[in-house]
Amino acid sequence: MTIFSKIIAGEIPSYKIAEDEHYYAFLDINPMTKGHTLVVPKVEDDYIFHLDDETLAGLTLFAKRVAKAIEKSVPCVRIGMAVIGLEVPHTHIHLIPIQKEADMNFANPKLKLSSEEMEEIAATIRNNF
């Protein structure tokens, strides 16, 4: 069971943004920018292109809804999207509020936000979902 499956199951706490029957979105605990969110399918698969077409399409549409909520909640030029898939063996999409292309560089230092600030960001995005 991956760390993301444990988060989905409630075994590990998360700053949940949204959830439905098939997908789960939560704040990245090592965010590149405020509002950096991960969107995952509830089914465990370590590579996005192994997902069946229906799951992949649903994941993308769910991520779009989450991105629109982030846009309403966090000042940004747009929401960047990245799929790397090497750090956790569970498909996940990074949705990152960006001001400039350099904000998408995963080598950048991560933000250090308090749990209160993380919860405030999550609540604001949830309210716009």
Side-chain angles (χ1 to χ4, degrees), residues 5-127:
S5 290
K6 291 177 181 179
I7 288 170
I8 292 163
E11 295 172 20
I12 296 175
S14 70
Y15 299 101
K16 181 165 74 168
I17 300 300
E19 177 180 21
D20 71 9
E21 181 181 343
H22 303 288
Y23 310 102
Y24 193 94
F26 56 100
L27 291 182
D28 191 312
I29 60 167
N30 295 304
M32 294 174 48
T33 64
K34 288 183 182 182
H36 180 171
T37 300
L38 300 177
V39 181
V40 302
K42 290 186 174 180
V43 62
E44 260 188 43
D45 199 313
D46 71 341
Y47 186 45
I48 194 166
F49 296 121
H50 288 167
L51 297 175
D52 63 70
D53 291 350
E54 184 178 344
T55 302
L56 177 59
L59 177 65
T60 303
L61 292 172
F62 188 80
K64 179 180 178 180
R65 289 179 53 211
V66 173
K68 288 185 176 297
I70 297 169
E71 282 180 324
K72 292 176 187 171
S73 307
V74 179
C76 60
V77 173
R78 61 182 44 175
I79 304 299
M81 184 171 94
V83 177
I84 299 168
L86 297 176
E87 59 281 357
V88 176
H90 190 137
T91 295
H92 56 288
I93 294 173
H94 293 265
L95 298 177
I96 305 165
I98 60 173
Q99 303 300 330
K100 58 192 177 312
E101 192 173 317
D103 292 339
M104 290 292 294
N105 183 344
F106 280 79
N108 288 343
K110 306 305 183 259
L111 298 179
K112 302 287 186 222
L113 303 174
S114 69
S115 58
E116 294 81 14
E117 192 169 11
M118 292 285 281
E119 186 49 53
E120 183 180 318
I121 293 165
T124 302
I125 298 168
R126 273 194 307 272
N127 290 338

